[in-house]
Amino acid sequence: MVIPVYDKNPARRTPVVTYTLIGMCALVFLIGPASGFNPAYGTGYRHLLCEQSAYFAHWGVIPDELWHGRLPSGRLSLPRHCTAAPFTKSPFLSVLTALFVHGSWVHLLGNLLFLYVFGDNVEARMGRARFLLFYVVAGYLATYGFAAAHAGSAQTLVGASGAISGVLGAYLFLYPKARVTSLFPFLFFLPLRFPAWMVLCFWFALQWLASQTTRSGPDVAYLAHIVGFLFGFLCTWVCFRRPPKLEPAPAPPGTTQATQGEPQP
């Protein structure tokens, strides 16, 4: 695990889209049942657990639904003692709504920290409108990539980590040498500063290893992280790589480069 806390690469202008996404994710979490702050969802552990499960089923992504349409209420992944009230849902649009829903404080704060550290400079380079489009497309591709590997799963997928992984991939291409201060739990949370390419490649390696060792079920969507990251890097490579510089044609014999093409006396 790696926890980035600061990159020494300040953006030149206020990252409006990044801050808006952070604010929307925080607001949705606070008014939802997972925060425990909204009295509309009642009190008590068992009751809140039912409300949270039904909330995730409504606004989150269920891989089976993306391929086969809405699941009947009896097939939803709910605790045994819980039932869900009827609701209207579009599986395709649920990918978008799931980007703003998080399962816990740790889930929310972890995602928003990564977006805060890396999102501003990617937004500054892409521009606000293109960055927002890129973020949403990364979220969709990461979610569908995960759903393709778990096509029959009724487990709910929530969180912005797939889209944020796309931002990390874009940052790796755009700012590989930027210095990123990170905390490493296995080093007793010692803050260390490394180039972005080392931090992000180490993060990606951890996601890959985790995806290979957790085969019992979806749980953490490591595959969505991998798909989002690869899309972010490749998309940015295609869109922002510099064209090759054109070398001047060699001067013909008897002329110099400065006088090439000029009338000779």
mmCIF file of all heavy atoms in Angstrom, residues 26-45 47-49 51-52 55-56 102-105 108:
data_model
loop_
_atom_site.group_PDB
_atom_site.id
_atom_site.type_symbol
_atom_site.label_atom_id
_atom_site.label_comp_id
_atom_site.label_asym_id
_atom_site.label_seq_id
_atom_site.Cartn_x
_atom_site.Cartn_y
_atom_site.Cartn_z
ATOM 1 N N ALA A 26 -18.009 13.766 -1.572
ATOM 2 C CA ALA A 26 -18.152 13.970 -0.130
ATOM 3 C C ALA A 26 -19.604 14.228 0.247
ATOM 4 O O ALA A 26 -20.118 13.684 1.239
ATOM 5 C CB ALA A 26 -17.266 15.126 0.319
ATOM 6 N N LEU A 27 -20.305 15.057 -0.550
ATOM 7 C CA LEU A 27 -21.703 15.381 -0.245
ATOM 8 C C LEU A 27 -22.592 14.155 -0.356
ATOM 9 O O LEU A 27 -23.432 13.900 0.528
ATOM 10 C CB LEU A 27 -22.187 16.475 -1.198
ATOM 11 C CG LEU A 27 -23.651 16.897 -1.043
ATOM 12 C CD1 LEU A 27 -23.900 17.458 0.353
ATOM 13 C CD2 LEU A 27 -24.031 17.907 -2.120
ATOM 14 N N VAL A 28 -22.428 13.381 -1.424
ATOM 15 C CA VAL A 28 -23.239 12.169 -1.596
ATOM 16 C C VAL A 28 -23.009 11.201 -0.442
ATOM 17 O O VAL A 28 -23.953 10.577 0.062
ATOM 18 C CB VAL A 28 -22.920 11.502 -2.949
ATOM 19 C CG1 VAL A 28 -23.544 10.120 -3.039
ATOM 20 C CG2 VAL A 28 -23.407 12.374 -4.098
ATOM 21 N N PHE A 29 -21.768 11.087 -0.002
ATOM 22 C CA PHE A 29 -21.490 10.175 1.114
ATOM 23 C C PHE A 29 -22.147 10.666 2.403
ATOM 24 O O PHE A 29 -22.725 9.879 3.156
ATOM 25 C CB PHE A 29 -19.981 10.051 1.313
ATOM 26 C CG PHE A 29 -19.595 9.119 2.427
ATOM 27 C CD1 PHE A 29 -19.611 7.749 2.233
ATOM 28 C CD2 PHE A 29 -19.231 9.612 3.675
ATOM 29 C CE1 PHE A 29 -19.270 6.880 3.260
ATOM 30 C CE2 PHE A 29 -18.887 8.757 4.698
ATOM 31 C CZ PHE A 29 -18.907 7.376 4.496
ATOM 32 N N LEU A 30 -22.073 11.962 2.668
ATOM 33 C CA LEU A 30 -22.611 12.498 3.918
ATOM 34 C C LEU A 30 -24.123 12.350 4.007
ATOM 35 O O LEU A 30 -24.672 12.131 5.098
ATOM 36 C CB LEU A 30 -22.214 13.965 4.069
ATOM 37 C CG LEU A 30 -20.730 14.237 4.336
ATOM 38 C CD1 LEU A 30 -20.452 15.737 4.326
ATOM 39 C CD2 LEU A 30 -20.304 13.621 5.667
ATOM 40 N N ILE A 31 -24.821 12.462 2.879
ATOM 41 C CA ILE A 31 -26.274 12.342 2.923
ATOM 42 C C ILE A 31 -26.740 10.901 2.752
ATOM 43 O O ILE A 31 -27.938 10.619 2.858
ATOM 44 C CB ILE A 31 -26.929 13.227 1.843
ATOM 45 C CG1 ILE A 31 -26.544 12.749 0.446
ATOM 46 C CG2 ILE A 31 -26.556 14.687 2.038
ATOM 47 C CD1 ILE A 31 -27.207 13.538 -0.687
ATOM 48 N N GLY A 32 -25.825 9.989 2.498
ATOM 49 C CA GLY A 32 -26.175 8.586 2.343
ATOM 50 C C GLY A 32 -26.147 7.841 3.665
ATOM 51 O O GLY A 32 -25.731 8.375 4.701
ATOM 52 N N PRO A 33 -26.553 6.572 3.663
ATOM 53 C CA PRO A 33 -26.610 5.806 4.919
ATOM 54 C C PRO A 33 -25.250 5.407 5.470
ATOM 55 O O PRO A 33 -25.114 5.165 6.670
ATOM 56 C CB PRO A 33 -27.422 4.570 4.531
ATOM 57 C CG PRO A 33 -27.196 4.415 3.059
ATOM 58 C CD PRO A 33 -27.054 5.804 2.520
ATOM 59 N N ALA A 34 -24.200 5.328 4.614
ATOM 60 C CA ALA A 34 -22.898 4.835 5.076
ATOM 61 C C ALA A 34 -22.233 5.793 6.055
ATOM 62 O O ALA A 34 -21.456 5.367 6.913
ATOM 63 C CB ALA A 34 -21.976 4.580 3.892
ATOM 64 N N SER A 35 -22.541 7.087 5.957
ATOM 65 C CA SER A 35 -21.908 8.058 6.858
ATOM 66 C C SER A 35 -22.479 7.988 8.267
ATOM 67 O O SER A 35 -21.798 8.332 9.240
ATOM 68 C CB SER A 35 -22.081 9.474 6.306
ATOM 69 O OG SER A 35 -23.445 9.881 6.368
ATOM 70 N N GLY A 36 -23.731 7.575 8.385
ATOM 71 C CA GLY A 36 -24.386 7.537 9.693
ATOM 72 C C GLY A 36 -24.881 8.882 10.168
ATOM 73 O O GLY A 36 -25.357 9.008 11.302
ATOM 74 N N PHE A 37 -24.783 9.922 9.325
ATOM 75 C CA PHE A 37 -25.166 11.271 9.730
ATOM 76 C C PHE A 37 -26.596 11.635 9.343
ATOM 77 O O PHE A 37 -27.127 12.616 9.834
ATOM 78 C CB PHE A 37 -24.216 12.302 9.116
ATOM 79 C CG PHE A 37 -22.847 12.309 9.727
ATOM 80 C CD1 PHE A 37 -21.768 12.841 9.046
ATOM 81 C CD2 PHE A 37 -22.636 11.786 10.987
ATOM 82 C CE1 PHE A 37 -20.503 12.863 9.611
ATOM 83 C CE2 PHE A 37 -21.377 11.792 11.559
ATOM 84 C CZ PHE A 37 -20.306 12.330 10.875
ATOM 85 N N ASN A 38 -27.187 10.899 8.431
ATOM 86 C CA ASN A 38 -28.523 11.236 7.942
ATOM 87 C C ASN A 38 -29.577 10.490 8.759
ATOM 88 O O ASN A 38 -29.719 9.270 8.635
ATOM 89 C CB ASN A 38 -28.649 10.882 6.463
ATOM 90 C CG ASN A 38 -29.892 11.469 5.834
ATOM 91 O OD1 ASN A 38 -30.856 11.815 6.525
ATOM 92 N ND2 ASN A 38 -29.890 11.595 4.518
ATOM 93 N N PRO A 39 -30.360 11.197 9.597
ATOM 94 C CA PRO A 39 -31.355 10.517 10.438
ATOM 95 C C PRO A 39 -32.482 9.882 9.636
ATOM 96 O O PRO A 39 -33.233 9.062 10.178
ATOM 97 C CB PRO A 39 -31.876 11.651 11.333
ATOM 98 C CG PRO A 39 -31.614 12.905 10.566
ATOM 99 C CD PRO A 39 -30.357 12.664 9.801
ATOM 100 N N ALA A 40 -32.615 10.227 8.370
ATOM 101 C CA ALA A 40 -33.689 9.660 7.558
ATOM 102 C C ALA A 40 -33.543 8.150 7.382
ATOM 103 O O ALA A 40 -34.527 7.459 7.090
ATOM 104 C CB ALA A 40 -33.719 10.338 6.189
ATOM 105 N N TYR A 41 -32.331 7.643 7.570
ATOM 106 C CA TYR A 41 -32.100 6.203 7.404
ATOM 107 C C TYR A 41 -32.234 5.436 8.717
ATOM 108 O O TYR A 41 -31.979 4.224 8.756
ATOM 109 C CB TYR A 41 -30.719 5.955 6.793
ATOM 110 C CG TYR A 41 -30.628 6.426 5.363
ATOM 111 C CD1 TYR A 41 -29.990 7.619 5.040
ATOM 112 C CD2 TYR A 41 -31.202 5.695 4.332
ATOM 113 C CE1 TYR A 41 -29.909 8.057 3.726
ATOM 114 C CE2 TYR A 41 -31.127 6.126 3.018
ATOM 115 C CZ TYR A 41 -30.487 7.318 2.729
ATOM 116 O OH TYR A 41 -30.415 7.758 1.420
ATOM 117 N N GLY A 42 -32.618 6.118 9.796
ATOM 118 C CA GLY A 42 -32.831 5.447 11.064
ATOM 119 C C GLY A 42 -31.543 5.177 11.809
ATOM 120 O O GLY A 42 -30.463 5.656 11.444
ATOM 121 N N THR A 43 -31.656 4.397 12.851
ATOM 122 C CA THR A 43 -30.516 4.059 13.706
ATOM 123 C C THR A 43 -30.479 2.558 13.951
ATOM 124 O O THR A 43 -31.408 1.832 13.603
ATOM 125 C CB THR A 43 -30.607 4.802 15.044
ATOM 126 O OG1 THR A 43 -31.849 4.445 15.691
ATOM 127 C CG2 THR A 43 -30.568 6.320 14.842
ATOM 128 N N GLY A 44 -29.409 2.119 14.573
ATOM 129 C CA GLY A 44 -29.251 0.694 14.848
ATOM 130 C C GLY A 44 -28.451 0.022 13.755
ATOM 131 O O GLY A 44 -28.660 0.282 12.556
ATOM 132 N N TYR A 45 -27.547 -0.843 14.153
ATOM 133 C CA TYR A 45 -26.628 -1.464 13.200
ATOM 134 C C TYR A 45 -27.369 -2.275 12.143
ATOM 135 O O TYR A 45 -27.122 -2.128 10.940
ATOM 136 C CB TYR A 45 -25.632 -2.359 13.941
ATOM 137 C CG TYR A 45 -24.740 -3.153 13.020
ATOM 138 C CD1 TYR A 45 -23.666 -2.551 12.376
ATOM 139 C CD2 TYR A 45 -24.984 -4.514 12.778
ATOM 140 C CE1 TYR A 45 -22.845 -3.266 11.513
ATOM 141 C CE2 TYR A 45 -24.175 -5.232 11.919
ATOM 142 C CZ TYR A 45 -23.113 -4.609 11.290
ATOM 143 O OH TYR A 45 -22.315 -5.318 10.434
ATOM 144 N N HIS A 47 -30.498 -2.162 11.139
ATOM 145 C CA HIS A 47 -31.327 -1.339 10.263
ATOM 146 C C HIS A 47 -30.463 -0.559 9.277
ATOM 147 O O HIS A 47 -30.774 -0.505 8.077
ATOM 148 C CB HIS A 47 -32.168 -0.374 11.098
ATOM 149 C CG HIS A 47 -33.080 0.477 10.282
ATOM 150 N ND1 HIS A 47 -34.242 -0.002 9.705
ATOM 151 C CD2 HIS A 47 -33.002 1.791 9.907
ATOM 152 C CE1 HIS A 47 -34.839 0.959 9.035
ATOM 153 N NE2 HIS A 47 -34.102 2.064 9.138
ATOM 154 N N LEU A 48 -29.371 0.038 9.735
ATOM 155 C CA LEU A 48 -28.490 0.780 8.840
ATOM 156 C C LEU A 48 -27.831 -0.132 7.805
ATOM 157 O O LEU A 48 -27.614 0.273 6.658
ATOM 158 C CB LEU A 48 -27.417 1.512 9.647
ATOM 159 C CG LEU A 48 -27.844 2.809 10.322
ATOM 160 C CD1 LEU A 48 -26.711 3.361 11.175
ATOM 161 C CD2 LEU A 48 -28.265 3.847 9.280
ATOM 162 N N LEU A 49 -27.537 -1.361 8.212
ATOM 163 C CA LEU A 49 -26.946 -2.309 7.270
ATOM 164 C C LEU A 49 -27.913 -2.610 6.133
ATOM 165 O O LEU A 49 -27.515 -2.670 4.956
ATOM 166 C CB LEU A 49 -26.564 -3.597 8.002
ATOM 167 C CG LEU A 49 -25.917 -4.691 7.146
ATOM 168 C CD1 LEU A 49 -24.603 -4.198 6.557
ATOM 169 C CD2 LEU A 49 -25.692 -5.959 7.976
ATOM 170 N N GLU A 51 -30.400 -0.618 5.116
ATOM 171 C CA GLU A 51 -30.547 0.599 4.329
ATOM 172 C C GLU A 51 -29.348 0.806 3.409
ATOM 173 O O GLU A 51 -29.494 1.203 2.244
ATOM 174 C CB GLU A 51 -30.707 1.808 5.261
ATOM 175 C CG GLU A 51 -32.011 1.836 6.037
ATOM 176 C CD GLU A 51 -33.207 2.125 5.150
ATOM 177 O OE1 GLU A 51 -33.004 2.643 4.032
ATOM 178 O OE2 GLU A 51 -34.338 1.826 5.560
ATOM 179 N N GLN A 52 -28.165 0.532 3.915
ATOM 180 C CA GLN A 52 -26.958 0.714 3.108
ATOM 181 C C GLN A 52 -26.922 -0.276 1.957
ATOM 182 O O GLN A 52 -26.579 0.086 0.827
ATOM 183 C CB GLN A 52 -25.723 0.554 3.986
ATOM 184 C CG GLN A 52 -24.404 0.725 3.248
ATOM 185 C CD GLN A 52 -23.223 0.751 4.193
ATOM 186 O OE1 GLN A 52 -23.226 1.467 5.181
ATOM 187 N NE2 GLN A 52 -22.212 -0.039 3.884
ATOM 188 N N TYR A 55 -29.376 0.805 -0.619
ATOM 189 C CA TYR A 55 -28.865 2.036 -1.255
ATOM 190 C C TYR A 55 -27.816 1.698 -2.305
ATOM 191 O O TYR A 55 -27.836 2.238 -3.420
ATOM 192 C CB TYR A 55 -28.287 2.936 -0.168
ATOM 193 C CG TYR A 55 -27.779 4.273 -0.630
ATOM 194 C CD1 TYR A 55 -28.643 5.356 -0.784
ATOM 195 C CD2 TYR A 55 -26.421 4.475 -0.878
ATOM 196 C CE1 TYR A 55 -28.176 6.610 -1.190
ATOM 197 C CE2 TYR A 55 -25.946 5.722 -1.278
ATOM 198 C CZ TYR A 55 -26.828 6.777 -1.430
ATOM 199 O OH TYR A 55 -26.359 8.007 -1.833
ATOM 200 N N PHE A 56 -26.922 0.798 -1.978
ATOM 201 C CA PHE A 56 -25.891 0.390 -2.931
ATOM 202 C C PHE A 56 -26.505 -0.337 -4.124
ATOM 203 O O PHE A 56 -26.066 -0.168 -5.262
ATOM 204 C CB PHE A 56 -24.865 -0.506 -2.251
ATOM 205 C CG PHE A 56 -23.970 0.218 -1.285
ATOM 206 C CD1 PHE A 56 -23.185 -0.492 -0.379
ATOM 207 C CD2 PHE A 56 -23.912 1.603 -1.258
ATOM 208 C CE1 PHE A 56 -22.360 0.172 0.520
ATOM 209 C CE2 PHE A 56 -23.092 2.272 -0.368
ATOM 210 C CZ PHE A 56 -22.310 1.554 0.522
ATOM 211 N N HIS A 102 -19.701 5.805 -2.093
ATOM 212 C CA HIS A 102 -18.597 5.105 -1.430
ATOM 213 C C HIS A 102 -19.112 4.330 -0.221
ATOM 214 O O HIS A 102 -20.114 4.704 0.386
ATOM 215 C CB HIS A 102 -17.500 6.091 -1.030
ATOM 216 C CG HIS A 102 -16.780 6.673 -2.206
ATOM 217 N ND1 HIS A 102 -17.284 7.725 -2.938
ATOM 218 C CD2 HIS A 102 -15.591 6.336 -2.783
ATOM 219 C CE1 HIS A 102 -16.448 8.009 -3.921
ATOM 220 N NE2 HIS A 102 -15.410 7.196 -3.851
ATOM 221 N N GLY A 103 -18.395 3.259 0.092
ATOM 222 C CA GLY A 103 -18.885 2.332 1.093
ATOM 223 C C GLY A 103 -18.508 2.638 2.521
ATOM 224 O O GLY A 103 -19.120 2.117 3.449
ATOM 225 N N SER A 104 -17.492 3.465 2.731
ATOM 226 C CA SER A 104 -17.048 3.752 4.095
ATOM 227 C C SER A 104 -16.203 5.017 4.074
ATOM 228 O O SER A 104 -15.833 5.526 3.007
ATOM 229 C CB SER A 104 -16.221 2.592 4.653
ATOM 230 O OG SER A 104 -14.995 2.458 3.936
ATOM 231 N N TRP A 105 -15.886 5.510 5.279
ATOM 232 C CA TRP A 105 -15.029 6.688 5.384
ATOM 233 C C TRP A 105 -13.646 6.420 4.793
ATOM 234 O O TRP A 105 -13.079 7.270 4.116
ATOM 235 C CB TRP A 105 -14.905 7.119 6.844
ATOM 236 C CG TRP A 105 -16.099 7.855 7.357
ATOM 237 C CD1 TRP A 105 -17.115 7.364 8.124
ATOM 238 C CD2 TRP A 105 -16.406 9.240 7.129
ATOM 239 N NE1 TRP A 105 -18.050 8.345 8.388
ATOM 240 C CE2 TRP A 105 -17.633 9.512 7.796
ATOM 241 C CE3 TRP A 105 -15.778 10.267 6.447
ATOM 242 C CZ2 TRP A 105 -18.225 10.768 7.794
ATOM 243 C CZ3 TRP A 105 -16.365 11.524 6.438
ATOM 244 C CH2 TRP A 105 -17.571 11.769 7.096
ATOM 245 N N LEU A 108 -13.894 6.439 0.996
ATOM 246 C CA LEU A 108 -14.066 7.804 0.490
ATOM 247 C C LEU A 108 -12.774 8.603 0.586
ATOM 248 O O LEU A 108 -12.305 9.180 -0.413
ATOM 249 C CB LEU A 108 -15.171 8.510 1.274
ATOM 250 C CG LEU A 108 -15.353 10.002 0.968
ATOM 251 C CD1 LEU A 108 -16.010 10.196 -0.386
ATOM 252 C CD2 LEU A 108 -16.158 10.684 2.075
#
